[in-house]
Amino acid sequence: MTTSSNTSAQTPDVPAVPTDSPDLALPELKRRLGQISDLGAAAGLMSWDQETQMPAEAARVRGQQMATLEGLAHEMFTAGRTAELLTEVGEPADPTDAAIVQVTRRDHGKATKLPTEFVEEQSRARNEAHHAWIEARKHSEFATFAPHLTKMIDLARRQADLLGYEAHPYDALMDGYEPGMRAAHVRTVFADLRDRTLPLLRRIVAAPDAADYSVLTRPFAPEAQKAFAWRMAGEAFGLKSDFARQDESAHPFQTNFSRSDLRITTRVEPYWPACLFGTLHETGHAMYERGVGERWERTPVSSGTSLGVHESQSRMFENLLARSRPFWNRHFAALAEAAPEVTAGLDPETLYRAVNRVNPSMIRVEADEVTYNFHVMLRFELELALLEGSLSVADLPEAWNAKMGEYLGLTPPNDAEGVLQDVHWSAGLIGYFPTYTLGNLLSVQLLEAARQTPDIAAGIDQAEYAPLLAWLTENVHQHGRSLTPEQITVAATGRPLTADPYVAYLHEKYEGIYGLS
């Protein structure tokens, strides 16, 4: 933890002497925000360690350690002195300072609605739920996790009540991940998307195979999988060991403690694309954080503007680019070098068709582009029902299985491949899932806009992504949270978010792969 001579930073419950000057208040506010950011980074490092390297017996103590750090950060941010400084700074003339103050005021208004005791209770409950989820998933026993999920849903309801909402408690929770988005709008978007893509899925399922899919489970040594995935993250997308590292975890994720300290995780399975595309998905997240302007460092502005925009980057890297013909034309030789047993008898076109297989399956993170959004819709609908109380936690596995049958024609054989597959609910991330599909929609809309620049379009066609990354940094990444998701979308693409480009992309790509008229 960073120490400081700032009295208010060391004892947040004791107001400091007012400065009565914006010139003095702004530096003090920035120091305070920097220290709060440092506390968050320390808690984040503990969380990363918990997922990757921590000894099992450390779980109980780690939960309290993280709760302490998160509680201290919350106290500092919601303390009276922070409110005084936000008043004293007025309206800074410098655009960077003005954005920092604006975002801080917005966050402060939310944070002050949550008592420190509640924040600490949430942190402890998350830690306990997470470890219960790991054990439940390992043994495929939902009953082990159910009491903890009941607690997380209760905390989510209480959080929504504390934050306040007009139409639905889900709105208050989702606003923390996708500012300005509301459940009613998501329902409308999802219904439209379902109506326009479910018929496509039905046609594809009825079509002959586009390739020999057994190549996707050919032997590929675990360490070789990870090495190849990391190589692609660097060579194709610019993720380097100078500022990033990769580890393994039960559920792939990305976290960062500054724009110069990025961590991604992956997992290795017999289905080897899971490691590759999981790594490149998290690389998209990491390169977004890498591109956030340095001027925002150690302030509330220094992160992606929303999870939907974040997902647009990860899904773009994973699907629009790494599953494209140009990518495999360029990197097939590298795969052959890393795993000759995988590529024996193959060519780039055959592999392209194989990795773009459309196949309704149990696991969201391994789902293809056409079926993926149905996994998200399922989770969104169940979350709404849990929050409303129309669905009990005890009945969740049955409801999950019914939705899987309705959308994908499948019934999970066990809880591990069904209701226990995602880490999100153990972490209390209620309202998070819709952002995955919102990100899918935005990914195509952004790529379509970027391709209007000839050099970028030529680069994409040759799997040379440096010009595209520069465009994304300029139009999306650098702004951090200084612009809203809608502002970034309109400025970068010329219109608000729409499903039209995404639906057209799915039809063009998969009708071509499967030979549909």
Side-chain angles (χ1 to χ4, degrees):
M1 181 186 298
T2 301
T3 59
S4 169
S5 60
N6 182 345
T7 302
S8 65
Q10 294 176 5
T11 55
D13 55 333
V14 179
V17 177
T19 60
D20 295 324
S21 168
D23 293 337
L24 297 176
L26 188 58
E28 183 182 342
L29 177 64
K30 287 182 175 180
R31 284 195 300 272
R32 174 175 285 257
L33 294 177
Q35 291 169 331
I36 293 168
S37 174
D38 294 343
L39 286 171
L45 183 58
M46 284 189 169
S47 178
W48 169 84
D49 175 71
Q50 175 179 258
E51 297 277 359
T52 57
Q53 302 186 55
M54 186 186 77
E57 289 188 16
R60 179 183 58 81
V61 176
R62 178 57 53 85
Q64 183 56 57
Q65 292 167 339
M66 292 170 64
T68 296
L69 287 174
E70 292 174 18
L72 284 172
H74 185 74
E75 279 188 32
M76 285 189 67
F77 193 57
T78 58
R81 183 56 183 155
T82 304
E84 292 172 357
L85 290 169
L86 286 171
T87 299
E88 291 170 18
V89 295
E91 302 298 333
D94 179 79
T96 296
D97 292 337
I100 292 171
V101 170
Q102 180 184 36
V103 172
T104 302
R105 282 177 177 150
R106 187 171 68 224
D107 289 353
H108 184 265
K110 285 186 175 182
T112 52
K113 296 178 180 180
L114 303 178
T116 298
E117 295 78 8
F118 177 79
V119 172
E120 292 177 344
E121 182 183 0
Q122 270 191 322
S123 180
R124 287 190 294 269
R126 281 197 303 268
N127 182 72
E128 293 171 2
H130 177 71
H131 290 281
W133 169 76
I134 290 176
E135 288 302 308
R137 187 169 181 265
K138 184 187 303 181
H139 301 290
S140 193
E141 294 177 353
F142 178 74
T144 304
F145 178 57
H148 298 276
L149 180 56
T150 299
K151 176 69 171 177
M152 300 313 296
I153 296 297
D154 176 63
L155 286 167
R157 288 195 193 104
R158 288 165 56 190
Q159 181 176 343
D161 289 340
L162 288 166
L163 292 173
Y165 56 89
E166 293 182 4
H168 198 285
Y170 201 84
D171 296 344
L173 302 174
M174 188 164 50
D175 194 72
Y177 308 117
E178 197 66 21
M181 189 58 64
R182 297 295 178 260
H185 184 59
V186 172
R187 286 183 198 267
T188 301
V189 171
F190 282 10
D192 175 57
L193 186 62
R194 180 173 58 246
D195 291 345
R196 292 203 278 168
T197 57
L198 195 55
L200 174 64
L201 173 60
R202 300 290 186 251
R203 292 167 63 207
I204 292 172
V205 169
D209 290 343
D212 176 7
Y213 303 127
S214 67
V215 303
L216 304 178
T217 52
R218 285 182 177 180
F220 196 161
E223 291 306 314
Q225 283 192 42
K226 290 188 291 184
F228 176 68
W230 182 251
R231 176 181 173 182
M232 290 299 97
E235 289 186 7
F237 300 115
L239 192 66
K240 304 295 184 184
S241 58
D242 293 347
F243 53 83
R245 63 173 286 153
Q246 176 173 264
D247 295 89
E248 286 189 66
S249 65
H251 191 101
F253 68 94
Q254 178 273 331
T255 189
N256 63 288
F257 318 121
S258 73
R259 62 188 300 276
S260 302
D261 190 355
L262 311 171
R263 312 294 174 96
I264 68 171
T265 70
T266 192
R267 64 185 181 196
V268 177
E269 298 179 6
Y271 175 75
W272 61 261
C275 178
L276 173 63
F277 293 117
T279 293
L280 299 184
H281 179 100
E282 302 307 334
T283 296
H285 286 305
M287 293 308 292
Y288 186 172
E289 295 293 338
R290 176 68 174 173
V292 172
E294 203 168 352
R295 63 192 181 281
W296 311 120
E297 197 83 90
R298 296 176 74 239
T299 77
V301 186
S302 186
S303 66
T305 188
S306 77
L307 291 183
V309 179
H310 240 300
E311 278 301 308
S312 76
Q313 305 305 283
S314 59
R315 299 292 283 177
M316 182 187 296
F317 282 32
E318 174 192 2
N319 291 327
L320 308 189
L321 303 179
R323 292 186 193 269
S324 70
R325 275 195 180 91
F327 183 92
W328 288 109
N329 286 338
R330 186 181 184 98
H331 296 294
F332 183 84
L335 178 61
E337 178 186 333
E341 63 277 18
V342 170
T343 58
L346 298 183
D347 57 28
E349 176 65 18
T350 304
L351 189 57
Y352 162 74
R353 289 174 175 271
V355 299
N356 284 291
R357 180 187 189 186
V358 174
N359 180 42
S361 60
M362 303 294 174
I363 308 302
R364 175 185 60 84
V365 296
E366 296 174 7
D368 58 81
E369 291 179 280
V370 180
T371 62
Y372 184 91
N373 296 306
F374 298 108
H375 288 269
V376 175
M377 293 174 194
L378 174 156
R379 289 154 173 81
F380 168 65
E381 292 165 14
L382 294 178
E383 284 185 341
L384 287 178
L386 286 169
L387 274 182
E388 293 166 353
S390 58
L391 174 65
S392 70
V393 168
D395 293 333
L396 183 60
E398 182 180 354
W400 178 289
N401 293 351
K403 287 287 184 184
M404 284 291 289
E406 176 186 348
Y407 285 143
L408 298 175
L410 302 173
T411 300
N414 53 58
D415 291 339
E417 294 183 62
V419 70
L420 287 173
Q421 67 181 266
D422 293 303
V423 70
H424 301 62
W425 289 338
S426 73
L429 301 178
I430 313 299
Y432 189 121
F433 279 117
T435 66
Y436 288 119
T437 288
L438 297 174
N440 277 338
L441 304 186
L442 183 56
S443 69
V444 179
Q445 191 167 328
L446 286 170
L447 194 63
E448 186 181 76
R451 289 188 68 100
Q452 300 306 307
T453 302
D455 289 349
I456 295 174
I460 293 170
D461 291 340
Q462 296 299 317
E464 171 49 62
Y465 302 127
L468 172 63
L469 186 60
W471 186 90
L472 291 170
T473 300
E474 175 68 22
N475 290 279
V476 180
H477 303 170
Q478 66 150 328
H479 300 297
R481 296 178 65 216
S482 66
L483 298 179
T484 67
E486 184 175 16
Q487 287 173 328
I488 285 178
T489 300
V490 172
T493 73
R495 56 178 169 169
L497 182 66
T498 170
D500 293 344
Y502 181 75
V503 171
Y505 159 79
L506 289 183
H507 278 270
E508 179 181 1
K509 177 176 181 177
Y510 288 97
E511 286 174 354
I513 289 174
Y514 282 89
L516 305 176
S517 59

